[in-house]
Amino acid sequence: MSVAERGTDITHITPHQVAQVANGFSYLSLTSFRNYREIGIETGLDRGLGAIVLTGRNGAGKTNLLEALSYLSPGSGLRQATIAEIEFRNAGNHAAAQSADTQENFAKQGGIAWAVHARYLGRGGEHALGTGRDPLAQAQTGRERRISRVNGANVRSQASFAEILTVLWLTPQMDRLFSEAASSRRRFLDRLVYGLDPSHAARVASYEQAMRERARLLRGEGPLAPGGDMNAWLSGLEAEMAGQAVAIAAARLDASASLNAAMAEAVGPFPQADLAVAGAVEASLDTMPALDAEDLLKSRLASARQSDAESGITQWGTHRSDLVVTLSGRHLGGAPLRAGDCSTGEQKALLVAIILAEARLSTKRRGEAPVLLLDEVAAHLDRQRRDALFAELRALRAQCWLTGTERETFQSLDGWAQFMTAGDGRLQLDMN
C-alpha cells in the first residue's frame, strides 16, 4: 500500500482530551523499510506509557525503527541516508508471499516503495503522518524523490512536520559530532532550532533551494529562458538567500542563547555546555541591523559569482556557519575547553545535557514535549547519570524511544515503558 493510500481515515481528538494524555506517536507502521518487510506497532500511548524500549542483539533492526521515526521531521533522517539506501533488501523477511499479479504491478511501478506511516497525538489533536519513496519518480524525472503527507494530503516538504511535532535524537554516531565537519554540527543546531521555532525548517529549505538554483545558473544549466537577464535572475536568488539567511542566523542565535540559559538553570550530574554560533552572517547581526546584514550578504554573493562558478562552492551564507560548544567552567591553557577536546564520556554527557535542555525549553515554548529517539544512550552512562536521565524523561512526560542490548539497563522504567524485542525483521512484545 502506498503512502497516499495510508492513514487518511483518522478520528480526531480534541485539545481538551489531549491535555489528559502524554503526546507522542500512538501507532507506527513500516513498509519495505530496511530489514522490515511489513510491520505495525501500537505504542501504548493510550495506556499512558511514555517510553518504548527496544532490545535485541546488535544488527537486529532497533536503530532502523528510530530512523523511520526520524523521517517524520525535516531533513534526511538520523543516518543521512539516500532514498535508495532505505529500501528493503532482506528477502528472508517477507511476511507472506506476494501473488504474481501483485508482484507484476509493483514491478511496473518501480518496486515496492518504502513507506513510514504514523499517528501522532499532540496538543492540536491527532494527525496522520506519512513519508516514503515515490515509486514513479525515477521513471518520470530520472531521480529519486520522497513523498510526505499530513492527514492524507501531500505537503510541499518535510518542513510541514515541524509545525506539528518536534523529534530529537542521539545516536552513537553523534559521539563524533564535536570533531566532525561543521555540517554535522550545523544540522544538529538547526534541529534544536526546529523545536523552538517551527518556521525555521521552512526558512532553511527555502534558503537551500535558492542556493541550489543560483549554483545551477552559475554552471550555465538554467532555468534561464532564452533572452533572459542572467544578472536579474541571480540578483533575485541572492536577495532570497540573503533574506532567509539573516532570519536563519537570528533564529540560531536566539536558540543558542536560550539553551545556554536553560542549561545554566539545570541541576544534576550532567555538565553544562556553552553554545555559540560562528559564521559571517551571525557576526554581521552582532554589529548591524538585520536589513544592513542582508545588504552586506547580497553584496558578497554578487561579488563572488565568478569565483563561486569556478569553484562550485557558495562562499558566503549560513550554510557555512558552525556550532561551537565549550564545557562551562572548564579551561585548557587559559581558553574555554572546547567540546572536541573533552573525553569521550564528557562529550556524551554534554550531548545528553543539550538534548535535555532543548526538551525542557521546547516543552515550555510549544506546550508539549518533543519525541526523543535515544539510540544506545543509556549503556554508555554511569548509573548516576542513567538514573538522572530516566527521571528527567519521566518529569518531561516526553515520549522516548530507547534502544539497548539488555533489558536490565532499563529496569527502572518498568511500569512506564513498553518493552519489545527486535529480531529477524519482526518485533515481539515483552510481557514480563
Side-chain angles (χ1 to χ4, degrees):
M1 187 178 294
S2 70
V3 176
E5 296 169 325
R6 287 178 171 273
T8 56
D9 184 17
I10 293 296
T11 302
H12 291 273
I13 299 176
T14 67
H16 175 73
Q17 290 172 303
V18 172
Q20 300 174 29
V21 297
N23 64 286
F25 293 105
S26 60
Y27 177 78
L28 170 69
S29 71
L30 309 181
T31 300
S32 194
F33 189 98
R34 297 284 190 182
N35 68 319
Y36 294 101
R37 176 65 187 84
E38 187 84 30
I39 195 168
I41 305 171
E42 298 284 350
T43 67
L45 187 69
D46 58 335
R47 305 196 306 277
L49 299 180
I52 299 90
V53 177
L54 306 166
T55 60
R57 59 177 173 78
N58 293 329
K62 305 182 297 294
T63 304
N64 293 342
L65 289 163
L66 271 57
E67 182 186 24
L69 290 169
S70 74
Y71 282 108
L72 299 174
S73 66
S76 301
L78 59 81
R79 282 189 174 116
Q80 293 291 300
T82 66
I83 294 174
E85 287 173 340
I86 303 164
E87 210 70 57
F88 174 80
R89 286 184 172 83
N90 188 347
N93 285 334
H94 282 272
Q98 297 282 349
S99 69
D101 289 343
T102 300
Q103 290 177 354
E104 182 180 0
N105 183 50
F106 278 130
K108 289 179 179 178
Q109 296 185 42
I112 304 174
W114 67 264
V116 179
H117 166 251
R119 293 195 297 268
Y120 176 79
L121 182 67
R123 57 186 172 81
E126 193 172 53
H127 297 276
L129 308 178
T131 191
R133 179 175 70 84
D134 182 348
L136 303 178
Q138 183 67 39
Q140 293 174 342
T141 67
R143 60 187 181 88
E144 298 286 5
R145 185 174 76 96
R146 264 178 70 188
I147 301 172
S148 295
R149 296 176 67 82
V150 174
N151 296 328
N154 286 338
V155 293
R156 183 176 179 182
S157 74
Q158 300 94 44
S160 297
F161 293 140
E163 300 291 337
I164 297 171
L165 77 161
T166 301
V167 182
L168 301 172
W169 55 79
L170 284 178
T171 70
Q173 291 71 31
M174 292 173 66
D175 291 350
R176 303 187 295 271
L177 181 73
F178 300 124
S179 58
E180 288 182 337
S183 57
S184 297
R185 291 185 294 277
R186 193 165 51 246
R187 285 192 299 268
F188 177 67
L189 172 60
D190 282 333
R191 187 154 302 283
L192 298 177
V193 181
Y194 298 158
L196 307 178
D197 181 359
S199 59
H200 184 71
R203 290 194 292 263
V204 171
S206 296
Y207 172 84
E208 292 178 346
Q209 177 65 27
M211 183 171 62
R212 286 192 295 269
E213 291 300 320
R214 176 180 179 271
R216 287 180 61 199
L217 280 179
L218 292 176
R219 292 195 303 267
E221 297 178 4
L224 194 64
D229 187 335
M230 170 73 81
N231 288 330
W233 272 87
L234 287 171
S235 294
L237 291 169
E238 289 162 358
E240 172 70 10
M241 286 179 64
Q244 298 292 357
V246 168
I248 289 167
R252 288 173 177 171
L253 291 169
D254 174 72
S256 60
S258 298
L259 284 166
N260 286 338
M263 279 184 282
E265 297 172 355
V267 294
F270 291 102
Q272 292 183 7
D274 287 322
L275 277 60
V277 188
V281 182
E282 288 82 5
S284 297
L285 288 175
D286 283 340
T287 60
M288 62 184 68
L291 289 177
D292 291 345
E294 283 188 37
D295 289 340
L296 177 59
L297 181 54
K298 283 189 289 186
S299 175
R300 285 171 166 171
L301 287 167
S303 298
R305 288 175 186 174
Q306 182 174 345
S307 57
D308 285 358
E310 293 171 352
S311 67
I313 298 172
T314 305
Q315 300 175 50
W316 295 99
T318 45
H319 63 289
R320 299 184 68 84
S321 301
D322 194 5
L323 172 65
V324 179
V325 179
T326 55
L327 185 58
S328 181
R330 295 278 298 279
H331 292 78
L332 181 66
L337 180 60
R338 293 174 69 102
D341 296 322
C342 294
S343 69
T344 301
E346 284 178 316
Q347 291 185 39
K348 171 71 77 173
L350 278 170
L351 283 170
V352 173
I354 293 170
I355 288 295
L356 290 178
E358 164 75 8
R360 291 191 299 269
L361 193 56
S362 178
T363 301
K364 184 176 180 180
R365 288 196 181 184
R366 299 191 65 164
E368 65 181 39
V371 174
L372 301 177
L373 312 177
L374 306 178
D375 189 20
E376 297 286 354
V377 170
H380 300 285
L381 298 175
D382 58 41
R383 181 62 180 269
Q384 181 188 19
R385 283 175 172 170
R386 186 165 65 235
D387 289 345
L389 170 62
F390 292 162
E392 182 131 20
L393 295 177
R394 285 177 180 267
L396 284 167
R397 298 183 70 236
Q399 185 184 62
C400 46
W401 297 64
L402 303 107
T403 69
T405 55
E406 303 293 337
R407 174 174 173 150
E408 289 73 19
T409 305
F410 308 95
Q411 188 172 0
S412 63
L413 293 177
D414 281 348
W416 189 64
Q418 177 157 283
F419 290 82
M420 299 180 184
T421 302
D424 299 324
R426 296 175 176 83
L427 283 179
Q428 180 179 346
L429 184 63
D430 188 344
M431 302 304 294
N432 294 331

